[in-house]
C-alpha cells in the first residue's frame, strides 16, 4: 500500500509539472504574439550583482541576474536576483517603474526568470543594500520551476544528473567549482612564473603508453587504423625534453577504461611537468610551492578531508621508504627484493607475519602495495612524500646511485593513503629504459587477465637514443588535489559532469 501511495504521489507531481511547463510555454508564446520578446539577443549590463551591492547610496546601477526570491506586497515588491558574483535585493514600486511596467512585472515575471534592473542604490530599514528600480525588464523566461529554495537538491544522483539545477539550488556547490578554477589558475601562474612552457600533446594516440592502465580504443576511418585515448602524457613530454624544451607542463584530460568509485572517473584531469637538469627532489620542492600557492589562492591553510583535519602549509614531510620499512617491519627492504623483481617467497612470508589480507595468487607488486599502504602510508594524514621506491614497481625511474634495487621516485599521499602526485628522476639511458619496458611487457604477458595497455614504445626509445638530459618529472591529479583543497570526499563533487550510468528507459 505504501509503495502504491508513493507511486501515486509521484504521478501527481509529474502531472503537475507538465501543467506548469505547458502554461509557461503558452505564456511565452502569448508574449511573442504581443510583440514582446522574452528572450532578447542582447542586453547591456553595467554592473555585476556584487558591484551593485558594494556601490554607495544613490549610485546608479544596471545589473542582471536570475530572480531567486520574490515578495509582492500590493503596489510594491521586494525580490532578490543572483549572478555568479553575489545576490542583491531589488525594490520594485509601481510609482517608480510605471503602472504598465509594474502590471507586467506582477503578471509575467516569476522566480527563475532572468531580469535586467536599473535604478539607484539605497539602504532599507533592516540595513540591506538594495536597488530601487526605475526600470525592470524580462530577459529570459524560465519554463521549468526552480528547485525548492530552502533545502536545495540533496539527492546526489539527481544533483549529478542535473548539474544546472544543482548549481542554481546549492550555493556551496557553485563555490567548489569557482575554487577549482582558482586552483588551476594558481598552478599555471606558479609554473609560468618559474619559466615553464605550457604545451599540448595528442589526445588520440597510436599506442597508449606512459602508464599501466586499460585504454579506450577507437578507429580512424580515413587512416584505417586503431587509435587510443591517452592514458598519460609522459612519452610525448619526454620527446619535447629531448627536443630542447627544458621546462614544460600540460594540464589535460586522461581516459582510462576502468572502474568508477569515489576517487576514480574514466575521464579525469591530470597535469604532468618535466624539467631538464632537475630530479625527484626538484619535483618535491615544486610540489610544495604548487600546493602552498593553490591553498593561498582559495584562502585555506587547513581543511577537513576524509574525516581528518589536513594542514596544507608546506614544506611537507619526506619519508624514505627503506628507513620506514626497517622501522615498521624490523628488516631491510632489500630482503624482499631480488634485483628488479620481488623475492616472492620472502614477500609473502612478511605479509603473513604482518597480518595483512591478500590472495595467494595476487601479483607480487599488489602484495607489496598492501603492506606499504596499510602499514606505512596509513600513519600520515597531512600531505607526505614517500621517497625511494623499489625498482620492481617503478619502470620509468632512475636508480639510486649504487643501489639497483631502489629508484629515485616519490608518491605524495594525503589523509592516510590518498595518492595525489607521482614523481621520478627520469631514466635517460635508452638501453636501461628499453630493458625495463620489455621486462614489464613480459610480466604482463604471463597474466592472461591483464587488459592494461602495452607499454613498449619503440618510437620513444628511438627518440631517447638522440640524447636526453638528466630530468625530473611529476604527475599531479588535478581532481585529487581539488578534492583535498576543497574538502570533498567524492570525485563527483569536483567534476561538473561526472560519468554516470545510463538510466533505464
Amino acid at each position: 500500500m505504501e509503495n502504491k501511495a508513493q507511486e501515486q504521489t509521484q504521478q501527481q507531481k509529474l502531472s503537475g509539472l507538465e501543467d506548469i511547463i505547458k502554461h509557461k510555454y503558452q505564456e511565452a508564446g502569448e508574449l511573442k504574439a504581443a510583440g514582446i520578446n522574452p528572450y532578447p539577443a542582447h542586453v547591456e549590463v553595467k554592473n555585476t550583482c556584487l558591484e551593485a551591492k558594494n556601490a554607495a547610496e544613490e549610485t546608479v546601477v544596471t545589473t542582471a541576474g536570475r530572480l531567486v526570491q520574490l515578495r509582492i506586497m500590493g503596489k510594491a515588491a521586494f525580490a532578490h536576483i543572483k549572478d555568479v558574483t553575489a545576490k542583491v535585493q531589488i525594490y520594485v514600486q509601481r510609482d517608480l517603474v510605471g503602472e504598465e511596467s509594474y502590471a507586467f512585472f506582477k503578471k509575467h515575471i516569476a522566480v527563475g526568470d532572468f531580469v535586467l534592473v536599473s535604478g539607484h542604490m539605497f539602504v532599507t530599514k533592516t540595513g540591506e543594500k538594495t536597488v530601487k528600480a526605475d526600470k525592470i525588464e524580462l530577459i529570459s523566461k524560465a519554463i521549468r520551476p526552480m528547485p525548492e529554495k530552502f533545502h536545495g537538491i540533496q539527492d546526489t544522483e539527481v544533483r549529478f544528473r542535473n548539474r544546472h539545477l544543482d548549481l542554481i539550488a546549492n550555493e556551496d556547490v557553485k563555490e567548489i567549482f569557482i575554487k577549482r578554477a582558482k586552483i588551476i589558475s594558481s598552478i599555471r601562474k606558479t609554473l609560468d612564473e618559474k619559466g615553464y612552457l605550457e604545451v599540448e600533446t595528442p589526445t588520440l594516440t597510436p599506442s597508449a603508453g606512459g602508464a599501466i592502465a586499460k585504454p579506450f580504443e577507437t578507429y580512424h576511418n580515413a587512416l584505417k587504423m586503431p587509435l587510443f585515448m591517452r592514458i598519460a602524457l609522459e612519452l610525448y613530454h619526454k620527446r619535447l625534453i629531448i627536443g630542447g624544451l627544458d621546462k614544460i607542463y600540460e594540464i589535460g584530460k586522461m581516459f582510462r577504461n576502468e572502474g568508477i568509485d569515489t576517487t576514480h572517473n574514466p575521464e579525469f584531469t591530470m597535469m604532468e611537468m618535466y624539467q631538464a637538469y632537475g630530479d625527484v627532489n626538484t619535483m618535491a620542492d615544486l610540489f610544495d610551492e604548487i600546493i602552498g600557492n593553490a591553498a593561498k589562492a582559495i584562502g585555506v591553510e587547513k581543511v577537513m578531508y576524509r574525516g581528518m583535519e589536513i594542514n596544507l602549509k608546506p614544506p611537507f614531510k619526506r619519508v624514505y621508504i627503506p628507513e620506514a620499512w626497517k622501522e615498521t617491519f624490523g628488516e631491510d627492504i632489500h630482503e624482499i627484493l631480488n634485483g628488479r623483481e620481488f623475492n616472492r617467497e620472502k614477500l609473502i612470508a612478511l605479509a603473513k607475519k604482518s597480518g595483512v589480507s591478500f590472495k595467494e595468487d595476487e601479483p607480487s607488486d599488489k602484495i607489496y602495495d598492501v603492506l606499504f599502504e596499510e602499514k606505512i602510508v596509513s600513519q600520515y594524514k597531512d600531505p607526505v612524500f614517500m621517497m625511494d621506491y623499489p625498482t620492481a614497481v617503478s619502470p620509468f625511474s632512475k636508480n639510486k646511485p649504487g643501489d639497483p634495487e631502489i629508484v629515485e621516485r616519490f608518491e605524495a599521499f594525503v589523509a592516510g593513503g590518498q595518492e595525489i602526485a607521482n614523481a621520478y628522476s627520469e631514466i635517460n639511458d635508452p638501453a636501461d629504459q628499453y630493458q625495463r619496458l620489455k621486462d614489464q611487457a613480459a610480466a604482463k604477458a604471463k597474466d592472461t587477465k591483464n587488459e592494461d595497455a602495452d607499454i613498449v614504445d619503440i618510437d620513444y626509445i628511438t627518440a631517447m637514443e638522440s640524447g636526453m638530459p638528466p630530468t625530473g618529472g611529476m604527475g599531479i591529479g588535478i581532481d585529487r588535489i581539488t578534492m583535498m583543497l576543497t574538502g570533498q570526499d567524492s570525485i563527483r563533487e569536483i567534476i561538473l559532469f561526472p560519468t554516470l550510468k545510463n538510466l533505464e528507459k
Side-chain angles (χ1 to χ4, degrees):
M1 287 295 290
E2 184 178 344
N3 288 340
K4 189 173 182 179
Q6 289 176 347
E7 288 178 12
Q8 189 174 10
T9 301
Q10 184 65 21
Q11 287 296 326
Q12 289 171 347
K13 286 182 179 179
L14 290 173
S15 177
L17 176 61
E18 289 171 359
D19 289 342
I20 291 171
I21 292 170
K22 182 179 179 181
H23 171 74
K24 293 286 186 179
Y25 269 121
Q26 184 178 344
E27 182 182 10
E30 290 172 354
L31 290 173
K32 293 174 187 176
I36 300 169
N37 183 4
Y39 305 102
H42 173 74
V43 294
E44 188 172 352
V45 179
K46 297 180 179 178
N47 310 94
T48 65
C49 287
L50 182 60
E51 289 170 344
K53 198 170 185 177
N54 290 339
E57 285 191 71
E58 299 304 321
T59 302
V60 176
V61 299
T62 300
T63 189
R66 187 189 293 276
L67 196 70
V68 292
Q69 289 174 304
L70 176 60
R71 305 183 304 281
I72 295 177
M73 302 167 291
K75 298 178 182 180
F78 279 99
H80 282 87
I81 63 171
K82 183 171 74 170
D83 67 5
V84 71
T85 65
K87 181 170 67 173
V88 65
Q89 182 167 260
I90 64 173
Y91 176 63
V92 186
Q93 189 181 40
R94 188 184 67 178
D95 294 345
L96 292 174
V97 299
E99 191 167 337
E100 184 178 343
S101 180
Y102 188 70
F104 181 90
F105 170 75
K106 287 180 65 176
K107 183 176 181 181
H108 294 296
I109 296 179
V111 169
D113 296 343
F114 282 85
V115 296
L116 179 73
V117 182
S118 297
H120 293 75
M121 297 305 299
F122 81 107
V123 179
T124 65
K125 292 178 180 178
T126 59
E128 185 170 358
K129 281 278 193 74
T130 303
V131 183
K132 184 182 288 186
D134 54 41
K135 187 177 182 181
I136 183 164
E137 299 177 46
L138 174 66
I139 58 174
S140 183
K141 186 71 186 168
I143 300 300
R144 289 179 177 266
M146 294 299 99
E148 201 278 315
K149 63 181 179 180
F150 293 109
H151 301 102
I153 304 174
Q154 303 302 319
D155 188 306
T156 54
E157 187 72 11
V158 173
R159 288 177 49 231
F160 300 147
R161 291 186 184 279
N162 300 274
R163 186 65 92 179
H164 60 294
L165 297 180
D166 189 22
L167 293 168
I168 291 169
N170 300 319
E171 193 64 32
D172 57 334
V173 171
K174 185 181 292 184
E175 187 61 28
I176 289 170
F177 291 104
I178 292 172
K179 286 181 178 179
R180 180 187 174 111
K182 289 180 178 178
I183 289 165
I184 295 173
S185 178
S186 169
I187 292 170
R188 281 196 165 99
K189 182 180 179 183
T190 297
L191 294 172
D192 291 346
E193 289 179 350
K194 294 182 76 66
Y196 279 75
L197 178 71
E198 184 170 9
V199 298
E200 293 180 289
T201 57
T203 300
L204 286 174
T205 64
S207 62
I212 300 174
K214 182 181 178 182
F216 286 94
E217 185 174 353
T218 185
Y219 188 82
H220 194 288
N221 292 327
L223 295 177
K224 295 182 171 55
M225 62 182 285
L227 290 171
F228 301 89
M229 301 295 284
R230 65 185 179 187
I231 59 175
L233 302 168
E234 181 166 349
L235 301 185
Y236 281 110
H237 281 204
K238 288 181 180 176
R239 287 171 168 87
L240 299 181
I241 291 290
I242 292 165
L245 298 180
D246 288 346
K247 298 169 80 172
I248 59 171
Y249 75 95
E250 182 173 2
I251 299 174
K253 292 289 187 181
M254 304 301 119
F255 308 87
R256 297 184 182 180
N257 196 358
E258 299 172 345
I260 296 176
D261 57 31
T262 56
T263 60
H264 294 87
N265 193 67
E267 175 184 351
F268 61 98
T269 305
M270 188 77 181
M271 176 173 67
E272 290 193 30
M273 66 221 70
Y274 293 83
Q275 179 176 333
Y277 318 115
D279 63 9
V280 70
N281 296 300
T282 310
M283 293 298 108
D285 293 341
L286 182 59
F287 183 84
D288 276 345
E289 195 168 345
I290 286 170
I291 298 302
N293 289 344
K296 288 178 185 176
I298 61 171
V300 296
E301 288 187 355
K302 294 182 179 181
V303 67
M304 289 300 298
Y305 177 50
R306 302 179 90 182
M308 307 175 194
E309 185 180 66
I310 306 300
N311 185 344
L312 299 169
K313 189 175 180 180
F316 302 121
K317 187 177 181 64
R318 302 185 187 191
V319 175
Y320 293 86
I321 294 173
E323 295 175 8
W325 195 272
K326 180 74 172 179
E327 292 172 5
T328 303
F329 300 113
E331 64 178 52
D332 194 305
I333 194 170
H334 294 81
E335 292 294 317
I336 62 160
L337 302 176
N338 184 16
R340 291 177 176 175
E341 298 179 353
F342 285 106
N343 183 321
R344 185 173 177 83
E345 184 179 331
K346 291 186 177 181
L347 182 66
I348 288 176
L350 180 60
K352 289 180 177 179
K353 177 183 174 183
S354 302
V356 299
S357 298
F358 66 95
K359 296 177 182 177
E360 290 286 347
D361 61 348
E362 271 191 313
S364 296
D365 61 325
K366 300 298 183 185
I367 299 174
Y368 165 82
D369 286 344
V370 173
L371 276 167
F372 173 59
E373 291 170 10
E374 290 189 13
K375 298 299 182 179
I376 297 177
V377 180
S378 62
Q379 301 176 42
Y380 300 93
K381 66 180 184 67
D382 294 335
V384 59
F385 298 108
M386 291 292 168
M387 315 280 293
D388 294 353
Y389 273 68
T391 307
V393 291
S394 307
F396 289 98
S397 303
K398 186 181 285 291
N399 283 109
K400 295 282 285 186
D403 191 342
E405 295 183 324
I406 300 295
V407 296
E408 293 188 351
R409 173 192 179 189
F410 78 68
E411 285 186 290
F413 294 92
V414 69
Q418 177 64 69
E419 182 195 348
I420 50 178
N422 190 13
Y424 310 143
S425 293
E426 303 291 346
I427 295 174
N428 59 344
D429 177 345
D432 186 12
Q433 182 66 88
Y434 184 48
Q435 186 59 52
R436 293 207 205 183
L437 291 175
K438 286 201 301 182
D439 290 345
Q440 276 225 334
K444 179 201 166 193
K446 293 178 183 178
D447 185 356
T448 57
K449 296 180 181 179
N450 192 331
E451 296 180 299
D452 292 338
D454 292 324
I455 58 175
V456 177
D457 188 326
I458 298 301
D459 288 342
Y460 168 60
I461 300 299
T462 301
M464 187 178 282
E465 289 171 347
S466 296
M468 177 177 165
T471 300
M474 176 164 59
I476 297 177
I478 297 296
D479 302 313
R480 297 273 182 90
I481 65 167
T482 300
M483 289 170 64
M484 174 185 73
L485 290 166
T486 60
Q488 300 301 313
D489 292 344
S490 172
I491 196 170
R492 293 183 175 188
E493 295 289 357
I494 53 85
I495 295 178
L496 278 167
F497 300 101
T499 305
L500 301 170
K501 186 178 180 180
N502 285 338
L503 293 174
E504 294 183 9
K505 300 293 185 180

